Amino acid sequence: MFSPNLQGSLKRMIGRNLDGEERYADPIVLPLAIVSLLSAAQKTSVRTDSSASHGMADEMASDGKILTKTQVAVDDLVDVAGGTFRVKGTHPRYTVFGIFDHYEVVLELVDQ
């Protein structure tokens, strides 16, 4: 059985404005448990120049996974552990008796 041990905040996406920017509702308390929050530098290719140096750059990528009993949707924002993360996917988890227990939520760090 899942038992949340932390609190974060959830901002649900409510639509887009005329410029196409996301609009979010006021934050609500989100009881959760962190499975993983990973930050790592990944190599990314940069535009090659005339010398064909095949330049590379480091790009910070952060992913995470949390558990919560609150249903969240893709593109909602979760504030937890000092970072703001966008929901990239969610999957319900059930007990061995087939009863809903919690949601597993996959997150991606938002550049701010």
XYZ file of all heavy atoms in Angstrom:
854
model
N 0.829 -1.176 0.000
C 0.000 0.000 0.000
C 0.880 1.248 0.000
O 1.834 1.353 0.737
C -0.903 0.017 1.233
C -1.891 -1.143 1.290
S -3.000 -1.210 -0.112
C -4.163 0.016 0.330
N 0.509 2.197 -0.819
C 1.258 3.438 -0.969
C 0.905 4.418 0.139
O -0.257 4.620 0.474
C 0.940 4.050 -2.336
C 1.402 5.461 -2.486
C 2.741 5.755 -2.567
C 0.493 6.499 -2.523
C 3.172 7.068 -2.695
C 0.910 7.802 -2.657
C 2.252 8.086 -2.748
N 1.933 5.060 0.686
C 1.739 6.094 1.698
C 2.661 7.263 1.364
O 3.880 7.117 1.411
C 2.061 5.536 3.080
O 1.904 6.538 4.046
N 2.099 8.454 1.015
C 2.944 9.599 0.657
C 3.759 10.076 1.849
O 3.283 10.064 2.978
C 1.948 10.663 0.202
C 0.635 10.244 0.726
C 0.682 8.770 0.948
N 5.014 10.478 1.588
C 5.877 10.950 2.669
C 6.370 12.384 2.460
O 7.133 12.883 3.268
C 7.064 10.001 2.860
C 7.876 9.822 1.600
O 7.674 10.524 0.620
N 8.788 8.875 1.620
N 5.951 13.031 1.379
C 6.318 14.420 1.084
C 5.105 15.169 0.542
O 4.112 14.555 0.163
C 7.422 14.484 0.030
C 8.812 13.996 0.407
C 9.703 13.992 -0.813
C 9.399 14.874 1.481
N 5.253 16.495 0.484
C 4.234 17.309 -0.163
C 4.892 18.198 -1.200
O 5.966 18.747 -0.965
C 3.499 18.184 0.844
C 2.508 17.434 1.683
C 1.660 18.382 2.513
O 1.947 19.559 2.626
N 0.593 17.843 3.073
N 4.264 18.311 -2.335
C 4.686 19.233 -3.377
C 3.476 20.064 -3.752
O 2.472 20.067 -3.048
N 3.568 20.757 -4.864
C 2.399 21.491 -5.346
C 2.146 21.128 -6.799
O 3.069 20.821 -7.558
C 2.582 23.001 -5.183
O 3.606 23.470 -6.014
N 0.874 21.137 -7.153
C 0.429 20.768 -8.493
C -0.274 21.956 -9.114
O -1.170 22.547 -8.508
C -0.526 19.574 -8.421
C -1.259 19.191 -9.697
C -0.272 18.681 -10.747
C -2.317 18.143 -9.408
N 0.137 22.317 -10.340
C -0.539 23.355 -11.118
C -1.099 22.684 -12.372
O -0.342 22.237 -13.234
C 0.425 24.474 -11.508
C 0.909 25.276 -10.336
C 1.791 26.415 -10.794
C 3.154 26.223 -10.210
N 4.135 27.169 -10.653
N -2.418 22.589 -12.424
C -3.065 21.939 -13.568
C -3.117 22.884 -14.767
O -3.439 24.057 -14.626
C -4.473 21.506 -13.205
C -4.493 20.461 -12.102
C -5.895 19.929 -11.906
N -5.973 19.049 -10.769
C -5.691 17.757 -10.796
N -5.295 17.209 -11.919
N -5.805 17.010 -9.713
N -2.793 22.349 -15.946
C -2.886 23.160 -17.159
C -4.357 23.319 -17.512
O -5.093 22.326 -17.601
C -2.143 22.501 -18.316
C -2.051 23.394 -19.530
S -0.957 22.742 -20.768
C -2.057 22.713 -22.146
N -4.799 24.576 -17.691
C -6.213 24.831 -17.973
C -6.438 25.313 -19.408
O -7.562 25.567 -19.797
C -6.803 25.844 -16.973
C -6.000 27.137 -16.958
C -6.889 25.244 -15.595
C -6.594 28.233 -16.086
N -5.372 25.432 -20.188
C -5.526 25.852 -21.570
C -4.354 26.701 -22.021
O -3.294 26.701 -21.395
N -4.569 27.398 -23.109
C -3.535 28.268 -23.675
C -4.127 29.647 -23.933
O -5.311 29.779 -24.212
C -2.994 27.680 -24.979
C -2.273 26.369 -24.767
C -1.673 25.866 -26.073
N -1.021 24.595 -25.872
C 0.242 24.447 -25.520
N 1.011 25.489 -25.350
N 0.772 23.248 -25.354
N -3.254 30.653 -23.862
C -3.716 32.009 -24.152
C -3.639 32.254 -25.669
O -3.306 31.349 -26.437
C -2.925 33.051 -23.355
C -1.451 33.071 -23.712
O -1.026 32.546 -24.749
N -0.656 33.678 -22.848
N -3.906 33.474 -26.095
C -3.922 33.780 -27.530
C -2.549 33.657 -28.182
O -2.447 33.515 -29.398
C -4.487 35.185 -27.758
C -5.964 35.352 -27.392
C -6.396 36.800 -27.554
C -6.832 34.433 -28.237
N -1.487 33.740 -27.375
C -0.133 33.593 -27.903
C 0.338 32.144 -27.902
O 1.481 31.857 -28.252
C 0.852 34.441 -27.081
C 0.557 35.925 -27.220
O 0.148 36.339 -28.325
O 0.728 36.654 -26.226
N -0.507 31.221 -27.455
C -0.146 29.814 -27.432
C 0.616 29.386 -26.191
O 1.067 28.254 -26.104
N 0.748 30.284 -25.201
C 1.448 29.942 -23.967
C 0.491 29.220 -23.024
O -0.696 29.545 -22.959
C 1.971 31.213 -23.293
C 2.953 31.974 -24.157
C 3.222 33.378 -23.633
O 2.377 33.921 -22.882
O 4.276 33.925 -23.969
N 1.040 28.244 -22.274
C 0.213 27.486 -21.351
C -0.318 28.368 -20.222
O 0.371 29.259 -19.761
C 0.999 26.317 -20.726
C 1.406 25.256 -21.708
C 2.823 25.439 -22.210
O 3.455 26.454 -21.874
O 3.300 24.577 -22.949
N -1.545 28.094 -19.784
C -2.136 28.744 -18.618
C -2.378 27.671 -17.574
O -2.819 26.564 -17.901
C -3.454 29.421 -18.991
C -3.261 30.610 -19.905
C -4.567 31.316 -20.232
N -5.556 31.197 -19.187
C -6.854 30.963 -19.413
N -7.303 30.833 -20.634
N -7.708 30.873 -18.412
N -2.091 28.011 -16.312
C -2.215 27.041 -15.235
C -3.130 27.565 -14.141
O -3.192 28.760 -13.875
C -0.832 26.727 -14.646
C 0.067 26.030 -15.632
C 0.960 26.752 -16.417
C -0.004 24.657 -15.805
C 1.763 26.119 -17.342
C 0.800 24.020 -16.730
C 1.684 24.754 -17.496
O 2.471 24.117 -18.416
N -3.823 26.642 -13.481
C -4.662 26.978 -12.337
C -3.772 27.276 -11.136
O -2.564 27.018 -11.159
C -5.601 25.815 -12.027
N -4.370 27.810 -10.083
C -3.630 28.059 -8.852
C -3.095 26.740 -8.300
O -3.745 25.694 -8.441
C -4.531 28.733 -7.812
C -4.909 30.148 -8.217
O -4.127 30.782 -8.966
O -5.987 30.621 -7.808
N -1.935 26.769 -7.646
C -1.351 25.528 -7.133
C -2.186 24.915 -6.006
O -2.804 25.638 -5.214
C 0.027 25.950 -6.618
C 0.088 27.420 -6.688
C -1.083 27.924 -7.428
N -2.204 23.591 -5.979
C -2.839 22.848 -4.895
C -1.792 21.931 -4.275
O -0.780 21.609 -4.906
C -4.061 22.030 -5.382
C -3.652 21.018 -6.452
C -5.159 22.948 -5.887
C -4.744 20.038 -6.816
N -2.027 21.521 -3.038
C -1.095 20.625 -2.340
C -1.171 19.233 -2.962
O -2.263 18.722 -3.244
C -1.429 20.559 -0.839
C -0.572 19.529 -0.136
C -1.238 21.929 -0.210
N -0.006 18.640 -3.192
C 0.081 17.310 -3.797
C 0.874 16.385 -2.879
O 2.096 16.476 -2.811
C 0.761 17.399 -5.169
C 0.946 16.087 -5.910
C -0.401 15.496 -6.321
C 1.826 16.277 -7.132
N 0.190 15.479 -2.141
C 0.923 14.487 -1.356
C 1.588 13.497 -2.312
O 0.957 13.023 -3.266
C -0.163 13.791 -0.530
C -1.408 14.588 -0.725
C -1.244 15.370 -1.982
N 2.870 13.186 -2.079
C 3.599 12.346 -3.022
C 4.748 11.620 -2.342
O 5.077 11.886 -1.192
C 4.137 13.191 -4.182
C 5.063 14.363 -3.824
C 6.509 13.933 -3.802
C 4.872 15.483 -4.814
N 5.346 10.725 -3.074
C 6.593 10.066 -2.683
C 7.505 10.097 -3.903
O 7.061 9.831 -5.025
C 6.341 8.629 -2.246
N 8.767 10.443 -3.693
C 9.727 10.504 -4.792
C 10.345 9.130 -4.995
O 10.835 8.522 -4.050
C 10.829 11.534 -4.501
C 10.235 12.939 -4.428
C 11.927 11.463 -5.563
C 11.219 14.005 -3.991
N 10.316 8.654 -6.230
C 11.012 7.420 -6.579
C 12.422 7.765 -7.029
O 13.394 7.173 -6.558
C 10.262 6.645 -7.692
C 11.052 5.429 -8.125
C 8.874 6.257 -7.220
N 12.524 8.736 -7.944
C 13.845 9.180 -8.394
C 13.753 10.576 -8.993
O 12.757 10.932 -9.603
C 14.416 8.209 -9.436
O 13.645 8.253 -10.618
N 14.800 11.343 -8.774
C 14.991 12.637 -9.436
C 16.433 12.635 -9.899
O 17.346 12.628 -9.079
C 14.734 13.806 -8.486
C 13.297 14.021 -8.039
C 13.216 15.178 -7.049
C 12.381 14.275 -9.207
N 16.654 12.607 -11.199
C 17.985 12.449 -11.754
C 18.338 13.642 -12.624
O 17.581 14.011 -13.514
C 18.047 11.162 -12.595
C 19.304 10.898 -13.377
C 20.456 10.599 -12.420
C 19.116 9.735 -14.324
N 19.497 14.235 -12.364
C 20.031 15.300 -13.216
C 21.367 14.830 -13.772
O 22.202 14.337 -13.027
C 20.249 16.594 -12.431
O 19.022 17.153 -12.089
N 21.540 15.004 -15.061
C 22.789 14.566 -15.681
C 23.089 15.435 -16.898
O 22.183 15.965 -17.534
C 22.687 13.107 -16.102
N 24.359 15.556 -17.198
C 24.777 16.267 -18.405
C 24.820 15.271 -19.549
O 25.426 14.213 -19.444
C 26.146 16.901 -18.201
N 24.145 15.607 -20.625
C 24.141 14.751 -21.805
C 24.829 15.477 -22.944
O 24.718 16.688 -23.086
C 22.713 14.416 -22.226
C 21.963 13.584 -21.227
C 20.551 13.299 -21.706
O 20.008 14.020 -22.542
N 19.951 12.251 -21.176
N 25.543 14.725 -23.762
C 26.172 15.301 -24.948
C 25.112 15.555 -26.006
O 24.244 14.727 -26.243
C 27.232 14.353 -25.516
C 28.404 14.112 -24.582
C 29.288 15.320 -24.519
C 30.512 15.029 -23.682
N 31.284 16.218 -23.413
N 25.180 16.713 -26.598
C 24.269 17.048 -27.679
C 25.077 17.657 -28.818
O 26.065 18.352 -28.583
C 23.166 18.022 -27.213
O 22.308 18.302 -28.302
C 23.734 19.318 -26.687
N 24.692 17.334 -30.031
C 25.449 17.863 -31.161
C 25.093 19.326 -31.383
O 23.980 19.758 -31.130
C 25.161 17.057 -32.429
O 23.797 17.150 -32.746
N 26.070 20.079 -31.842
C 25.854 21.475 -32.191
C 26.053 21.612 -33.693
O 26.636 20.749 -34.344
C 26.820 22.418 -31.430
C 26.515 22.378 -29.943
C 28.258 22.082 -31.682
N 25.592 22.692 -34.215
C 25.708 22.920 -35.645
C 27.173 22.882 -36.069
O 28.019 23.532 -35.467
C 25.115 24.288 -35.946
C 24.925 24.578 -37.366
C 24.300 25.930 -37.458
N 23.248 25.886 -38.433
C 22.479 26.885 -38.715
N 22.606 28.007 -38.049
N 21.572 26.797 -39.633
N 27.476 22.095 -37.061
C 28.867 21.990 -37.495
C 29.263 23.220 -38.290
O 28.457 23.822 -38.999
C 29.088 20.733 -38.352
O 28.193 20.778 -39.460
C 28.838 19.482 -37.544
N 30.495 23.587 -38.147
C 30.989 24.757 -38.878
C 31.754 24.291 -40.117
O 31.814 23.113 -40.432
C 31.856 25.629 -37.966
C 32.980 24.832 -37.308
O 33.331 23.750 -37.833
O 33.498 25.280 -36.283
N 32.373 25.199 -40.799
C 33.063 24.859 -42.048
C 34.268 23.946 -41.818
O 34.719 23.269 -42.738
C 33.512 26.137 -42.763
O 34.395 26.868 -41.932
N 34.782 23.895 -40.598
C 35.927 23.014 -40.336
C 35.481 21.576 -40.086
O 36.309 20.689 -39.930
C 36.724 23.520 -39.131
O 35.935 23.425 -37.962
N 34.179 21.355 -40.009
C 33.622 20.017 -39.786
C 34.184 19.383 -38.523
O 34.563 18.229 -38.486
C 33.851 19.124 -40.995
N 34.224 20.158 -37.445
C 34.806 19.677 -36.190
C 33.866 18.757 -35.415
O 34.274 18.153 -34.444
C 35.185 20.864 -35.307
O 34.018 21.588 -34.958
N 32.627 18.639 -35.843
C 31.637 17.812 -35.157
C 31.571 18.181 -33.684
O 31.694 17.340 -32.793
C 31.933 16.318 -35.317
C 31.930 15.875 -36.735
N 30.768 15.796 -37.465
C 32.931 15.524 -37.571
C 31.059 15.389 -38.690
N 32.373 15.215 -38.779
N 31.393 19.456 -33.408
C 31.378 19.961 -32.033
C 30.254 19.366 -31.214
O 29.194 19.016 -31.714
N 30.514 19.219 -29.932
C 29.537 18.698 -28.989
C 29.405 19.696 -27.842
O 30.333 20.414 -27.519
C 29.979 17.341 -28.429
C 30.133 16.255 -29.480
S 28.576 15.748 -30.184
C 28.045 14.579 -28.970
N 28.257 19.698 -27.214
C 28.022 20.548 -26.052
C 27.322 19.724 -24.987
O 26.683 18.709 -25.289
C 27.163 21.748 -26.435
N 27.456 20.145 -23.748
C 26.758 19.479 -22.657
C 25.416 20.153 -22.442
O 25.313 21.377 -22.428
C 27.563 19.551 -21.359
C 28.772 18.635 -21.383
O 28.731 17.638 -22.125
O 29.734 18.915 -20.661
N 24.385 19.345 -22.272
C 23.046 19.842 -22.013
C 22.542 19.150 -20.754
O 22.629 17.934 -20.639
C 22.137 19.516 -23.194
C 20.705 19.914 -22.995
C 19.836 19.497 -24.174
O 19.939 18.340 -24.602
O 19.069 20.332 -24.641
N 22.035 19.942 -19.808
C 21.515 19.349 -18.581
C 20.134 18.759 -18.853
O 19.266 19.430 -19.411
C 21.426 20.392 -17.468
C 22.763 20.807 -16.906
S 23.761 19.436 -16.309
C 22.807 18.899 -14.909
N 19.952 17.511 -18.470
C 18.663 16.850 -18.609
C 18.283 16.288 -17.250
O 19.099 15.659 -16.590
C 18.744 15.733 -19.637
N 17.066 16.555 -16.827
C 16.598 16.065 -15.541
C 15.278 15.354 -15.729
O 14.366 15.867 -16.374
C 16.410 17.213 -14.557
O 17.634 17.813 -14.274
N 15.207 14.175 -15.195
C 13.995 13.371 -15.248
C 13.661 12.911 -13.842
O 14.525 12.869 -12.969
C 14.186 12.159 -16.154
C 14.410 12.544 -17.600
O 13.723 13.447 -18.079
O 15.274 11.930 -18.241
N 12.428 12.556 -13.625
C 12.037 12.086 -12.317
C 10.827 11.192 -12.391
O 10.149 11.086 -13.418
N 10.570 10.532 -11.279
C 9.400 9.677 -11.159
C 8.882 9.824 -9.737
O 9.653 9.753 -8.777
C 9.769 8.223 -11.435
C 8.575 7.300 -11.535
C 9.006 5.876 -11.833
C 9.528 5.780 -13.246
N 9.844 4.393 -13.628
N 7.580 10.085 -9.607
C 6.950 10.198 -8.300
C 5.736 9.282 -8.252
O 5.241 8.829 -9.289
C 6.530 11.650 -7.972
C 5.490 12.158 -8.981
C 7.726 12.570 -7.895
C 4.825 13.462 -8.585
N 5.258 9.048 -7.039
C 4.024 8.301 -6.814
C 3.058 9.215 -6.087
O 3.446 9.959 -5.185
C 4.292 7.065 -5.958
C 5.384 6.114 -6.437
C 5.563 4.985 -5.438
C 5.091 5.585 -7.815
N 1.783 9.171 -6.465
C 0.760 9.981 -5.820
C -0.598 9.330 -6.001
O -0.813 8.583 -6.954
C 0.745 11.426 -6.370
O -0.214 12.185 -5.646
C 0.427 11.467 -7.849
N -1.514 9.632 -5.094
C -2.890 9.143 -5.232
C -3.753 10.131 -6.021
O -4.852 9.804 -6.436
C -3.511 8.905 -3.856
C -2.930 7.694 -3.150
C -3.675 7.419 -1.867
C -3.114 6.202 -1.165
N -3.673 4.959 -1.647
N -3.249 11.344 -6.248
C -3.973 12.377 -6.986
C -3.764 12.171 -8.486
O -2.641 12.027 -8.938
C -3.462 13.774 -6.587
O -3.565 13.919 -5.176
C -4.248 14.864 -7.284
N -4.846 12.189 -9.240
C -4.723 12.035 -10.684
C -4.163 13.321 -11.286
O -4.650 14.416 -11.001
C -6.067 11.706 -11.316
C -5.959 11.397 -12.792
C -7.265 10.874 -13.371
O -8.304 10.940 -12.736
N -7.186 10.355 -14.571
N -3.124 13.185 -12.090
C -2.526 14.314 -12.790
C -2.591 14.041 -14.288
O -2.777 12.907 -14.708
C -1.063 14.561 -12.340
C -1.008 14.899 -10.864
C -0.195 13.367 -12.639
N -2.424 15.085 -15.071
C -2.500 14.944 -16.530
C -1.179 15.373 -17.160
O -0.408 16.122 -16.568
C -3.642 15.801 -17.073
N -0.952 14.908 -18.361
C 0.231 15.310 -19.116
C 0.217 16.827 -19.265
O -0.837 17.427 -19.498
C 0.253 14.608 -20.498
C 1.361 15.155 -21.371
C 0.404 13.102 -20.313
N 1.375 17.457 -19.093
C 1.609 18.893 -19.180
C 1.241 19.668 -17.917
O 1.443 20.884 -17.866
C 0.937 19.539 -20.400
C 1.621 19.142 -21.698
O 2.824 18.829 -21.660
O 0.952 19.135 -22.741
N 0.723 19.007 -16.861
C 0.583 19.683 -15.571
C 1.977 19.943 -15.021
O 2.946 19.283 -15.411
C -0.195 18.812 -14.575
C -1.687 18.748 -14.877
O -2.158 19.510 -15.742
O -2.364 17.920 -14.246
N 2.106 20.904 -14.098
C 3.390 21.213 -13.471
C 3.389 20.750 -12.018
O 2.416 20.959 -11.294
C 3.679 22.708 -13.515
C 3.880 23.330 -14.892
C 4.173 24.821 -14.759
C 4.991 22.644 -15.647
N 4.508 20.133 -11.597
C 4.683 19.683 -10.222
C 5.923 20.368 -9.660
O 7.000 20.289 -10.247
C 4.853 18.146 -10.164
C 5.154 17.694 -8.749
C 3.613 17.445 -10.702
N 5.762 21.055 -8.530
C 6.889 21.658 -7.818
C 7.265 20.729 -6.681
O 6.448 20.494 -5.777
C 6.524 23.033 -7.265
C 6.303 24.065 -8.358
O 6.962 23.959 -9.409
O 5.468 24.961 -8.168
N 8.495 20.203 -6.726
C 8.960 19.298 -5.683
C 10.478 19.373 -5.599
O 11.154 19.564 -6.611
C 8.474 17.849 -5.952
C 9.067 17.291 -7.227
C 8.778 16.933 -4.789
N 11.005 19.260 -4.395
C 12.455 19.226 -4.149
C 13.177 20.410 -4.780
O 14.273 20.267 -5.324
C 13.040 17.902 -4.656
N 12.556 21.577 -4.754
C 13.201 22.778 -5.252
C 13.195 22.940 -6.763
O 13.835 23.844 -7.297
N 12.482 22.099 -7.475
C 12.428 22.203 -8.937
C 11.003 22.161 -9.442
O 10.090 21.708 -8.752
N 10.812 22.649 -10.652
C 9.516 22.586 -11.311
C 9.614 21.576 -12.445
O 10.487 21.685 -13.307
C 9.108 23.966 -11.865
O 9.052 24.895 -10.784
C 7.751 23.908 -12.548
N 8.717 20.605 -12.427
C 8.741 19.521 -13.390
C 7.435 19.471 -14.161
O 6.369 19.730 -13.610
C 8.946 18.175 -12.682
C 10.286 18.042 -12.008
C 10.497 18.557 -10.745
C 11.335 17.403 -12.648
C 11.725 18.445 -10.115
C 12.563 17.281 -12.038
C 12.765 17.798 -10.767
N 7.513 19.107 -15.453
C 6.332 18.918 -16.295
C 6.003 17.422 -16.324
O 6.885 16.589 -16.445
C 6.599 19.412 -17.709
C 5.399 19.321 -18.640
C 5.713 19.837 -20.043
N 6.416 21.102 -20.039
C 5.849 22.299 -19.891
N 4.560 22.391 -19.693
N 6.573 23.392 -19.922
N 4.720 17.104 -16.209
C 4.283 15.708 -16.275
C 4.377 15.235 -17.723
O 3.797 15.832 -18.626
C 2.838 15.558 -15.745
C 2.340 14.139 -15.938
C 2.761 15.977 -14.285
N 5.139 14.175 -17.948
C 5.299 13.609 -19.296
C 4.472 12.351 -19.497
O 4.214 11.942 -20.617
C 6.775 13.294 -19.571
C 7.694 14.502 -19.525
C 7.230 15.634 -20.391
C 7.448 15.382 -21.851
N 7.036 16.529 -22.681
N 4.073 11.719 -18.403
C 3.262 10.513 -18.506
C 2.784 10.064 -17.140
O 3.366 10.416 -16.120
N 1.712 9.319 -17.121
C 1.165 8.808 -15.873
C 0.602 7.413 -16.105
O 0.143 7.095 -17.213
C 0.090 9.759 -15.316
O -0.391 9.266 -14.081
C -1.050 9.951 -16.275
N 0.693 6.591 -15.070
C 0.250 5.211 -15.199
C -0.345 4.762 -13.865
O 0.313 4.864 -12.836
C 1.444 4.319 -15.574
C 1.073 2.903 -15.831
N 0.440 2.494 -16.970
C 1.233 1.793 -15.081
C 0.237 1.191 -16.913
N 0.709 0.749 -15.768
N -1.602 4.273 -13.856
C -2.181 3.798 -12.596
C -1.552 2.474 -12.167
O -1.204 1.645 -13.009
C -3.665 3.622 -12.926
C -3.715 3.438 -14.398
C -2.542 4.180 -14.965
N -1.404 2.289 -10.866
C -0.859 1.052 -10.309
C -1.906 0.436 -9.385
O -2.589 1.137 -8.656
C 0.435 1.313 -9.527
C 1.563 1.797 -10.389
C 1.968 0.733 -11.351
N 3.133 1.145 -12.117
C 3.675 0.390 -13.027
N 3.186 -0.783 -13.308
N 4.724 0.831 -13.695
N -2.006 -0.875 -9.414
C -3.017 -1.600 -8.665
C -2.379 -2.599 -7.710
O -1.250 -3.039 -7.911
C -3.949 -2.341 -9.635
C -4.669 -1.404 -10.566
C -4.122 -1.054 -11.804
C -5.888 -0.847 -10.215
C -4.781 -0.175 -12.655
C -6.553 0.030 -11.056
C -5.991 0.358 -12.274
O -6.639 1.224 -13.102
N -3.136 -2.971 -6.667
C -2.670 -3.997 -5.738
C -2.811 -5.362 -6.407
O -3.386 -5.479 -7.492
C -3.499 -3.981 -4.438
O -4.844 -4.380 -4.755
C -3.495 -2.612 -3.791
N -2.319 -6.392 -5.739
C -2.447 -7.748 -6.292
C -3.903 -8.205 -6.332
O -4.241 -9.171 -7.022
C -1.597 -8.767 -5.491
C -0.131 -8.474 -5.669
C -1.983 -8.776 -4.029
N -4.784 -7.502 -5.618
C -6.208 -7.813 -5.634
C -6.964 -7.032 -6.703
O -8.179 -7.124 -6.795
C -6.826 -7.542 -4.258
C -6.181 -8.330 -3.161
C -5.398 -7.709 -2.216
C -6.338 -9.712 -3.096
C -4.785 -8.433 -1.222
C -5.726 -10.451 -2.099
C -4.953 -9.820 -1.151
N -6.249 -6.224 -7.492
C -6.865 -5.461 -8.567
C -7.496 -4.161 -8.130
O -8.253 -3.554 -8.873
N -7.174 -3.688 -6.932
C -7.717 -2.429 -6.417
C -6.716 -1.318 -6.693
O -5.516 -1.476 -6.472
C -7.978 -2.541 -4.897
C -8.968 -3.677 -4.617
C -8.501 -1.228 -4.334
C -9.057 -4.066 -3.160
N -7.223 -0.163 -7.172
C -6.341 0.967 -7.455
C -5.570 1.349 -6.196
O -6.132 1.452 -5.110
C -7.143 2.169 -7.958
C -6.327 3.426 -8.041
C -5.452 3.626 -9.091
C -6.409 4.396 -7.048
C -4.685 4.782 -9.166
C -5.654 5.548 -7.112
C -4.783 5.734 -8.178
N -4.253 1.611 -6.348
C -3.429 2.003 -5.209
C -2.858 3.408 -5.379
O -2.957 4.230 -4.486
C -2.296 1.001 -5.003
C -1.567 1.229 -3.699
O -2.229 1.343 -2.648
O -0.321 1.329 -3.727
N -2.222 3.713 -6.534
C -1.614 5.022 -6.750
C -1.290 5.205 -8.231
O -1.422 4.280 -9.016
C -0.345 5.178 -5.909
C 0.727 4.197 -6.257
N 0.815 2.951 -5.678
C 1.746 4.258 -7.137
C 1.841 2.289 -6.180
N 2.420 3.066 -7.078
N -0.869 6.419 -8.560
C -0.391 6.720 -9.911
C 1.129 6.832 -9.893
O 1.706 7.398 -8.969
C -0.960 8.045 -10.426
C -2.432 8.013 -10.684
C -3.327 8.514 -9.753
C -2.940 7.475 -11.864
C -4.686 8.490 -9.977
C -4.299 7.438 -12.100
C -5.168 7.941 -11.150
O -6.516 7.907 -11.377
N 1.762 6.304 -10.914
C 3.193 6.499 -11.145
C 3.307 7.600 -12.192
O 2.733 7.494 -13.275
C 3.808 5.203 -11.655
C 5.282 5.254 -11.865
C 5.810 3.897 -12.298
O 5.587 2.913 -11.594
O 6.439 3.857 -13.375
N 4.030 8.673 -11.863
C 4.080 9.856 -12.721
C 5.518 10.095 -13.174
O 6.427 10.165 -12.352
C 3.551 11.095 -11.957
C 3.578 12.320 -12.848
C 2.150 10.842 -11.421
N 5.721 10.222 -14.483
C 7.034 10.493 -15.063
C 7.146 11.999 -15.303
O 6.246 12.616 -15.871
C 7.230 9.723 -16.382
C 8.582 10.024 -16.993
C 7.060 8.232 -16.155
N 8.264 12.578 -14.851
C 8.465 14.033 -14.896
C 9.685 14.421 -15.713
O 10.603 13.627 -15.883
C 8.656 14.568 -13.469
C 7.593 14.253 -12.437
C 8.048 14.661 -11.059
C 6.284 14.919 -12.804
N 9.677 15.675 -16.186
C 10.802 16.260 -16.901
C 11.002 17.676 -16.357
O 10.037 18.434 -16.237
C 10.506 16.294 -18.388
C 11.568 16.957 -19.222
C 11.167 16.994 -20.682
O 10.180 17.667 -21.011
O 11.839 16.326 -21.471
N 12.235 18.044 -16.050
C 12.528 19.366 -15.497
C 12.183 20.454 -16.514
O 12.470 20.337 -17.691
C 14.010 19.481 -15.116
C 14.430 20.774 -14.429
C 13.768 20.874 -13.060
C 15.932 20.826 -14.280
N 11.541 21.520 -16.023
C 11.158 22.657 -16.866
C 12.272 23.692 -16.794
O 12.730 24.038 -15.714
C 9.832 23.276 -16.372
C 9.506 24.526 -17.174
C 8.715 22.273 -16.451
N 12.715 24.190 -17.942
C 13.707 25.262 -17.986
C 13.044 26.562 -17.606
O 12.065 26.966 -18.230
C 14.312 25.400 -19.386
C 15.112 24.180 -19.775
O 15.705 23.544 -18.876
O 15.151 23.858 -20.977
N 13.596 27.224 -16.573
C 13.004 28.498 -16.164
C 14.069 29.538 -16.026
O 15.150 29.347 -15.677
C 12.255 28.356 -14.855
C 11.007 27.554 -15.034
C 10.153 27.533 -13.757
O 10.558 27.988 -12.715
N 8.967 27.013 -13.889
